[in-house]
């Protein structure tokens, strides 16, 4: 197996010199946590969202003093203002005869009832009805008001809005007379309810108790006016009147919560004022079992911050933070059925589960995590874990934890809790013999098939359902939140109460005996549950088996109190029971059967026909995933489907497609499913087109001057092919996603490599050469075929379908080849800019310039052979339409293709801070100048021939993240914009959210002068600038400037010759859209077009017409866009998965549907492409013209290649 090794023994250090983690450390990060370590929350005291109804939101809280009193016919004067029609006494009837007797009897009954009622709701038994000056906090929630006394001996009181006749009102009200208002504090509210709920009396955990006494509550606010609380209560009360249970969160409630959820990150939460955010405010939820704390996530170069969303009103914005150096591992996770969460494991044996709103946001966070920690859901990690298990370097327990984690299971998510098997079948013997096979459960069968008689019942029922759409064997699952809490009720009682609406289960149904539990799973038709990891914990943590909290769990029908779990006769104590369980799991007999059980849960027998044959078929809801959720049309349907799946139980992700090898067998990668890891956007809920190539907006020509020019250029016409589709291509087409493992049978591209100790400045600027004379190519159609000795690789276009993006099929209509010239890792960190300058002279030497976050600016000489022979050398590479790019194969081919290196270092310059952007120009006399900007807020010019910095300017008050330089058109006269001697205009953008325009003079000998004062400063951006691009308007003295922002917005300005600045276009940010990562201007036939790329995977094109920007086309490439380049009707898009996409365009920047893809362009580990340039060298007229492209990646590597039409 090739690829990155995370474990000591395989590879002590990675490519960057970072320490690897041992396999034992990786497994121990997954050990069951102590329950006390699983409570990161913004709430203080006894209140918890576990006390609320399912899906209820905490909104705001205040310090208050509480009074309460029961409602009676002769109301207390204090509460005389509260009128409730339902509490009025009915009129009494007077009878004509027997009046005295009836009156006497009635009086006796009244007195008896009065005494009974007084006794039932007296002050001692029900203190919540008789509260006097009780200090505490009022928690306003979406469905109720919760009163939390500071005195822990008093119970917490929850008053549902559904039990109120009217919403709380501020007291005194304007309708009251002056005489009555004198007795009241104006800082209070009043409300009444027919029923309230109490819990945690004496700070003890127990079943919630409903108090059916009609009660009035008066609440005095200590530090603020109650007006805002009353307004919120009124809104929530009205929302609850129309709320339909089972429909999720209402739109009205979401609108009410919007100010809280959209609150920006407070810079005061930063540990160091020098920290700079690497992400925008990402809406995020911090998940613990059955709890969801909403807030926002921000990552800086130093820490990870989660700011709690506390209150819709302005208030304290507290945050918790973590240091990336404390990360031990991470894993991609689900949030319900949405594939948008990430779990981070820390060195202190705790973990944090963060649920983002969208998959691309999760991937943005993942890409900023350190590269020297393992990802449990990566395919290569799972392969190496299997190898370590084969070598007996890890135990069965450790391996099962790793497999569970790879399949999306987490201790923080009860609906996807790790699954472990029943191993022992003997719970009655006095002594356990682990050498006898009869001691062990048959692990080749699922639990439902262990009892042949019961299996016959399931099969008979299955036959009766054959006419149904999806018949099933088992109507219950082997792992669900209820089953997990069945085992853990003693250690997680609050979660059980939350799940059971404030009650413990009936005592006879509670977990009280190991033997009774096992007999149930063998005989009960509704019980096929497996076990959980706690039963095999190596540290023998038996808290879940003993009632250490003294919970009142009731008594069974036989009169036995439910207390500690009774263990088998062969166990001397709970600790000894776990020890024997662990020994059984690690025994030789279990080890031999374990792979067959893995096949049932995580492998080939977990789904489909194989599951049916293995009697392992469950209800259809247990197989639902993100793609099924996205296919549902309404929010209600999605909510119901997600609720059903998470409550019923979800089958883990399938990891293996073949039988899992036994321990003594050799492991290769053939049995592991190729597309595990969920590194793409396949099948997400984020809308159609996110998972595959899709043309979002059909090209239109309504605003084009010459629609007849919109025909496809000749060089884009389809080439007929006679080659038939191979078996490999057919198999590749049928896989789940066209971008995953479509191009070969090697390991799938995994998480990209990056260094974590460098500031992660947003990258921009492809470094395209601004000297127009260097771009002399006439299009790919004008370049005759020329073959080099370097490897040749092809990509087939992927055609979108309107109904099934996940199964987009490859078409052979048009094909493109890239012929690699050189691949090399020339930087120690992300390459932030690259550009190729065409050369002249007998050696035909060109120049490659690159900048990097390692602070380096490097210049390399590039040698191209004038004419290369066509012939056998072509076959050294892979030329299949569906080729998978092996880094080893490509490097060997490239290295053996020529006797001399194609890339030789010529100059280098080192800055003490990271360089984030690059632009290159010519001085018009053979000299070349590189402009670079970075973290030190300075832009400097570097003379390539002279080998030194020739000018610099302190440009911004924060890091420079975007840079572009324009040549002065020959026809432009002197003006405020174009000064007398200026030859160029430089545009810079920064984290300080400003764009500045500078006058530059470049003369012979690489002499550069940059004015100290900018020509213009643009302040219209809404957030930090990520990238900039500029262009001269044809036949005008004006220029257009565009800037992409971190929040996903972008601005376009026009600066006229007289210096007047106009905002031509402002694309507003959409919630959760991610940064506008790159934009690029291009001139075609006298028209200006703008291409934009976003981290959502969206690419869009605009045209400048009649002084305004008009949208032309939009498409989704499925993964985050990080760089792009345009020339000659070809748009190249570099993405975060390391793939390069080619989108042909028609006249007017209209996208065609023939996307081509080359995965893993820079190397096999598929680092994200961070910069891209495209230029022409040579002369197309004599056959020497070439389109040369360069890609820079996050691992510091560059790839130099020729792009051309494929000729078959």
């Amino acid at each position: 197996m090739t690829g990155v090794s995370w474990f000591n023994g395989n590879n002590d250090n990675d490519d960057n010199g970072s320490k690897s983690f041992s396999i034992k450390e990786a497994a121990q990060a997954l050990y069951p946590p102590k329950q006390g370590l699983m409570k990161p929350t913004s709430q203080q005291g006894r209140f918890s969202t576990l006390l609320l109804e399912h899906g209820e939101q905490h909104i705001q809280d205040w310090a208050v003093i509480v009074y309460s009193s029961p409602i009676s016919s002769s109301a207390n004067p204090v509460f005389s203002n509260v009128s409730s029609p339902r509490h009025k006494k009915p009129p009494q009837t007077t009878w004509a005869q027997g009046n005295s007797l009836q009156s006497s009897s009635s009086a006796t009954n009244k007195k008896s009832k009065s005494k009974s009622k007084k006794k039932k709701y007296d002050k001692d038994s029900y203190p919540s009805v008789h509260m006097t000056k009780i200090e505490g906090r009022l928690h306003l929630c979406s469905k109720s008001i919760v009163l939390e006394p500071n005195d822990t001996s008093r119970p917490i009181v929850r008053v549902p809005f559904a039990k109120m006749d009217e919403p709380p009102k501020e007291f005194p009200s304007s309708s009251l007379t002056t005489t009555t208002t004198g007795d009241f504090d104006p800082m209070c509210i009043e409300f009444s309810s027919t029923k309230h709920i109490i819990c945690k009396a004496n700070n003890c955990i127990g079943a919630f108790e409903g108090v059916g006494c009609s009660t009035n509550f008066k609440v005095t606010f200590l530090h603020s006016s109650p007006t805002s609380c009353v307004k919120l209560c009124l809104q929530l009360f009205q929302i609850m009147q129309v709320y339909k249970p089972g429909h999720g969160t209402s739109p009205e409630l979401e609108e009410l919560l919007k100010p809280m959820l959209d609150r920006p990150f407070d810079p005061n939460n930063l540990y160091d004022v020098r920290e700079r955010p690497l992400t925008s405010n990402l809406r995020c939820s911090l998940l613990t079992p059955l709890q969801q704390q909403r807030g926002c996530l921000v990552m800086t170069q130093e820490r990870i911050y989660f700011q709690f969303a506390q209150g819709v009103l302005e208030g304290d914005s507290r945050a918790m933070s973590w240091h990336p150096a404390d990360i031990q591992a991470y894993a991609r996770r689900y949030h319900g059925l949405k594939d948008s969460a990430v779990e981070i494991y820390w060195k202190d044996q705790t973990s944090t589960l963060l649920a983002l709103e969208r998959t691309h946001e999760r991937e943005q966070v993942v890409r900023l995590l350190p590269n020297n920690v393992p990802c449990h859901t990566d395919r290569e990690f799972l392969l190496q874990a299997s190898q370590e298990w084969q070598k007996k370097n890890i135990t069965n327990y450790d391996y099962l934890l790793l497999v569970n984690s790879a399949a999306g299971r987490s201790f923080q998510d009860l609906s996807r809790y790790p699954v472990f098997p029943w191993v022992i079948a003997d719970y009655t013997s006095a002594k356990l013999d682990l050498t006898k096979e009869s001691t062990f459960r048959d692990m080749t069968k699922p639990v439902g098939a262990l009892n042949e008689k019961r299996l016959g019942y399931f099969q008979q029922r299955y036959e009766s359902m054959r006419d149904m759409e999806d018949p099933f064997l088992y109507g219950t699952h082997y792992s669900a939140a209820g089953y997990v809490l069945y085992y853990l009720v003693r250690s997680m009682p609050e979660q059980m109460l939350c799940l059971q609406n404030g009650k413990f289960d009936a005592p006879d149904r509670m977990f009280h005996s190991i033997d009774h539990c096992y007999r149930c799973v063998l005989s009960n038709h509704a019980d096929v549950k497996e076990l959980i990891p706690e039963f095999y914990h190596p540290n023998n943590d038996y808290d879940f088996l003993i009632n250490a909290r003294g919970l009142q769990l009731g008594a069974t029908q036989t009169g036995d109190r439910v207390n500690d779990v009774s263990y088998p006769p062969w166990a001397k104590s709970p600790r000894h029971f776990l020890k024997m369980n662990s020994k059984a799991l690690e025994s030789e007999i279990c080890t031999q059967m374990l792979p067959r059980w893995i096949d049932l849960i995580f492998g080939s027998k977990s789904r489909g026909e194989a599951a049916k044959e293995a009697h392992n078929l469950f209800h259809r809801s247990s197989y639902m995933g993100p793609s099924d959720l996205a296919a549902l049309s309404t929010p209600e349907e999605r909510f119901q489907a997600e609720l059903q799946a998470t409550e019923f139980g979800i089958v883990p992700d399938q990891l293996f497609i073949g039988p899992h090898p036994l321990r003594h067998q050799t492991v290769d990668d053939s049995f592991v499913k190729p597309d595990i890891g969920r590194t793409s956007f396949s099948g997400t809920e984020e809308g159609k087109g996110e998972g595959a190539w899709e043309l979002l907006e059909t090209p239109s020509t309504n605003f084009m001057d010459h629609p007849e020019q919109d025909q496809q250029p000749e060089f884009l016409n389809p080439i007929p092919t006679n080659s038939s589709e191979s078996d490999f291509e057919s198999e590749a087409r049928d896989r789940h996603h066209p971008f995953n493992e479509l191009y070969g049978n090697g390991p799938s591209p995994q998480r990209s490599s990056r260094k974590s100790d460098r500031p992660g400045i947003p990258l921009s600027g492809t470094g395209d050469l601004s000297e127009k004379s260097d771009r002399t190519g006439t299009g790919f159609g004008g370049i005759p075929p020329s073959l080099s000795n370097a490897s040749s690789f092809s990509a087939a276009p992927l055609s979108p379908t309107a109904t099934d993006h996940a199964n987009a099929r490859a078409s052979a209509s048009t094909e493109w080849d890239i012929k690699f010239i050189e691949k090399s890792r020339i930087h120690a960190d992300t390459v932030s800019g690259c550009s190729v300058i065409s050369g002249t002279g007998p050696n035909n030497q060109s120049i490659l310039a690159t900048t990097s976050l390692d602070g380096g600016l490097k210049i390399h000489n590039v040698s191209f052979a004038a004419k290369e022979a066509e012939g056998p050398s072509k076959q050294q590479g892979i030329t299949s339409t569906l080729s998978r790019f092996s880094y080893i194969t490509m490097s060997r081919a490239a290295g053996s293709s020529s006797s001399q290196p194609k890339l030789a270092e010529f100059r280098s310059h080192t800055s003490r801070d990271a360089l984030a952007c690059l632009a290159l120009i010519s001085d018009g006399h053979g000299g070349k100048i590189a402009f670079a900007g970075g973290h030190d807020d300075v832009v400097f010019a570097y003379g390539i021939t002279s080998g030194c910095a020739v000018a610099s300017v302190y440009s911004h008050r924060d890091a420079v993240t975007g840079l572009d330089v324009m040549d002065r058109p020959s026809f432009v006269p002197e003006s405020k914009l174009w000064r007398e001697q200026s030859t160029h205009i430089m545009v810079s953008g920064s984290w300080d959210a400003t764009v500045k325009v500078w006058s530059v003079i470049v003369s012979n000998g690489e002499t550069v002068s940059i004015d100290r004062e900018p020509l213009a400063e643009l302040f219209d951006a809404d957030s930090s600038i990520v990238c900039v691009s500029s262009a001269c308007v044809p036949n005008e003295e004006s220029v257009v400037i565009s800037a992409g922002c971190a929040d996903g917005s972008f601005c376009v300005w026009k600066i006229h010759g007289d210096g007047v600045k106009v905002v031509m276009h402002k694309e507003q940010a959409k919630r959760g859209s991610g940064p506008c990562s790159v934009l690029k201007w291009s001139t075609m036939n006298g028209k200006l077009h703008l291409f934009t790329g976003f981290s959502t995977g969206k690419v869009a094109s605009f045209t400048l017409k009649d002084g305004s920007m008009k949208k032309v086309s939009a498409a989704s490439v499925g993964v985050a866009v990080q760089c792009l380049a345009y020339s000659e009707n070809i748009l190249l898009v570099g993405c975060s998965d390391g793939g390069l996409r080619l989108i042909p365009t028609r006249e007017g920047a209209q996208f065609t549907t023939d996307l081509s893809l080359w995965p893993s362009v820079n190397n096999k580990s598929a680092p994200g492409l961070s910069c891209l340039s495209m230029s022409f060298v040579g002369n197309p007229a004599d056959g020497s013209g070439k389109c040369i492209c360069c890609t820079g990646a996050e691992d510091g590597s560059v790839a130099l290649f020729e792009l051309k039409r494929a000729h078959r």
Side-chain angles (χ1 to χ4, degrees), residues 639 669 1028 1085 1101:
F639 175 80
D669 63 357
V1028 297
N1085 297 328
S1101 62

Side-chain angles (χ1 to χ4, degrees), residues 110 172 261 464 911:
K110 284 181 181 180
L261 301 179
S464 68
S911 173

Side-chain angles (χ1 to χ4, degrees), residues 57 108 146 472 562 619 688 754 790 815 866 982 1042 1122 1155:
Q57 305 280 337
T108 304
V146 179
F472 55 87
V562 177
H619 190 272
K688 296 178 180 179
R754 72 200 68 80
E815 298 175 1
S982 67
S1042 57
Q1122 300 198 151
L1155 174 79

Side-chain angles (χ1 to χ4, degrees), residues 521-677:
V521 300
L522 290 181
S523 58
N524 193 328
H525 291 168
D527 192 354
V528 293
K529 59 180 174 287
E530 292 278 10
L531 290 182
I532 56 176
E534 283 80 354
F535 280 86
Y536 305 97
H537 199 303
N539 298 332
N540 306 142
D541 188 355
Y542 56 86
D543 287 353
F544 73 103
L545 297 176
I546 62 172
N547 189 12
R549 301 171 186 249
L551 302 172
Q552 299 299 312
L553 302 177
T556 64
Q557 294 180 3
T558 61
D560 297 328
R561 299 290 300 177
V562 177
N563 197 25
D564 296 344
V565 177
S566 61
Y567 40 85
W570 45 259
K572 301 176 183 177
S573 65
R575 186 186 297 275
H576 185 244
F577 168 72
L578 296 184
K579 184 177 180 181
M580 296 303 294
N581 261 3
S582 181
K583 287 183 66 176
L585 180 64
E586 305 301 332
S587 66
E588 187 62 31
I589 295 176
C590 178
T591 302
Q592 290 296 319
M593 292 192 292
L594 190 59
R596 303 291 72 83
W597 182 84
I598 291 176
D599 291 340
L600 293 169
I601 308 300
F602 308 101
S604 57
K605 296 181 180 179
S606 64
R607 287 166 170 80
E609 285 299 318
K612 177 183 172 183
E613 294 174 4
H615 309 305
N616 196 35
L617 197 62
F618 295 87
H619 190 272
R620 59 176 296 183
S621 64
S622 65
Y623 301 99
M624 292 190 70
S627 57
D628 303 296
L629 190 69
L632 300 176
S633 57
T634 66
E636 289 78 14
E637 289 178 335
R638 289 192 287 271
F639 175 80
Q640 287 294 337
E642 200 164 22
L643 184 64
Q644 181 180 5
T646 53
E647 289 188 353
F648 174 82
I650 302 173
V651 173
D653 288 354
Q654 183 178 350
L655 303 178
F656 309 108
I657 55 176
H660 191 289
L662 302 177
R663 201 163 202 171
H664 59 80
Q665 294 177 334
T666 303
V667 172
D668 58 23
D669 63 357
S670 61
F671 74 103
V672 179
K673 193 177 179 183
D675 57 353
I676 70 168

